[in-house]
Amino acid sequence: MGNMYGLWLKQQRELAGLTQQQLADAAIMTRSHIAHIEAGRRVPSKEDAWRLDCALNTGNVLSSFLPQDDAVVADYFEAALQLEQQATEIREYALAHVPGVLQTEGYARATLRPVYPPRSDEECDRLLVTRLDRAKVLADPVTPVMWALLDETVLQRPVGGPEVMTEQIAHLIRLVEDERVRVHVIPLGVGTYHLMQGMLSLMWFGDQPPVAYSEGMSIGKVHDSPAVVQRLQGAYDLALSDALPLKESLALMRVRAKDFGHHG
């Protein structure tokens, strides 16, 4: 999100003569959460913003001018991107493409091309750098804990061609074998199941309630309502129960990589 909101919050806190910890205590939040909001790394929930308004006697300013989570991925993914960098646990679901944080360069470039109106090479390169930077969250060998739930069609559609798909699936296999990411595949034989409406990310944090991010055609939204997040978590769990176990998913990925390798 833009940092004007966070800078204004910091200004109001300092005018009130409060430290981050004192404001956190008054608003029933953690100090680190306040710090993330002031630095522009987090979007507060509506309830958090209301409590901040009450603690700072700012009327309804912080509640009324919350940065928009559902702007339309440059803009509409911005809030989710910031949250992704702070999460301690991430669970992804993908129906059409490998989740962005797990994409190889060739695969990512192929997914950025088919849009209307067409993107320039410069714009594609800029978006590619941003997408590949997301994978840096996996540099830590432990955090975030990451699961990926993939529809089998993700492994069948030749995005970028056989060579790109072979490399992409091999990347997923390495992450699983290194025990960095758990990947479960929902086989085609399952038929319909929960979550088929679009893409979903579930994120947990050490200092704030979990959130969810859903995405469809040219629209994305961060959900922080506890009831909505709980409902989406339940749908994810039900879909996961339809997926293949880890070892069987890994075996299927090896088969798909071998198939694409023969056509490369």
Side-chain angles (χ1 to χ4, degrees):
M1 69 176 178
N3 200 25
M4 291 302 297
Y5 186 94
L7 291 175
W8 194 85
L9 171 61
K10 180 180 180 181
Q11 181 184 57
Q12 297 306 307
R13 173 178 61 76
E14 292 176 342
L15 286 174
L18 299 176
T19 65
Q20 288 182 340
Q21 186 60 61
Q22 289 171 329
L23 176 57
D25 292 341
I28 317 176
M29 298 165 64
T30 65
R31 188 209 62 77
S32 59
H33 195 183
I34 298 293
H36 286 317
I37 296 171
E38 289 187 352
R41 295 190 296 267
R42 294 278 179 84
V43 176
S45 67
K46 292 180 181 179
E47 183 178 349
D48 286 342
W50 177 80
R51 288 201 300 265
L52 288 169
D53 272 329
C54 291
L56 292 169
N57 294 314
T58 48
N60 65 348
V61 175
L62 290 164
S63 303
S64 299
F65 293 97
L66 273 172
Q68 294 298 303
D69 293 341
D70 56 353
V72 308
V73 162
D75 294 332
Y76 67 66
F77 186 66
E78 186 176 356
L81 177 61
Q82 299 294 341
L83 291 167
E84 183 180 78
Q85 302 303 305
Q86 301 295 324
T88 58
E89 181 173 346
I90 301 173
R91 298 191 184 186
E92 297 272 9
Y93 164 73
L95 176 64
H97 296 115
V98 171
V101 72
L102 301 177
Q103 291 180 5
T104 62
E105 180 176 348
Y107 189 97
R109 188 178 295 278
T111 64
L112 291 170
R113 281 294 182 188
V115 293
Y116 184 84
R119 294 186 175 114
S120 67
D121 290 341
E122 293 76 12
E123 185 179 4
C124 282
D125 288 342
R126 178 176 57 82
L127 292 171
L128 180 64
V129 169
T130 300
R131 183 167 297 183
L132 295 179
D133 277 347
R134 293 170 57 194
K136 292 179 180 178
V137 299
L138 298 177
D140 187 304
V142 177
T143 305
V145 175
M146 180 167 288
W147 292 15
L149 181 59
L150 307 179
D151 189 283
E152 187 179 352
T153 56
V154 173
L155 304 177
Q156 292 184 321
R157 182 170 291 107
V159 174
E163 185 175 345
V164 168
M165 285 300 299
T166 301
E167 179 186 36
Q168 175 62 70
I169 299 174
H171 177 60
L172 294 175
I173 292 171
R174 282 192 298 272
L175 290 170
V176 174
E177 291 178 335
D178 291 344
E179 299 184 352
R180 185 60 188 85
V181 177
R182 292 183 66 93
V183 177
H184 293 271
V185 179
I186 301 177
L188 293 176
V190 167
T192 58
Y193 59 89
H194 293 79
L195 297 185
M196 290 187 70
Q197 296 88 346
M199 175 274 240
L200 176 67
S201 295
L202 302 173
M203 291 174 274
W204 286 262
F205 309 88
D207 57 0
Q208 74 170 48
V211 301
Y213 172 74
S214 61
E215 188 174 299
M217 178 67 74
S218 299
I219 188 73
K221 182 172 178 59
V222 172
H223 307 273
D224 57 17
S225 164
V228 174
V229 174
Q230 185 177 27
R231 176 171 58 81
L232 292 173
Q233 288 173 344
Y236 189 99
D237 290 343
L238 288 171
L240 182 61
S241 71
D242 287 326
L244 297 174
L246 183 65
K247 290 183 178 179
E248 293 181 28
S249 296
L250 185 57
L252 179 58
M253 286 190 287
R254 289 185 177 127
V255 170
R256 292 289 175 257
K258 185 176 180 181
D259 290 342
F260 279 116
H262 287 158
H263 291 87

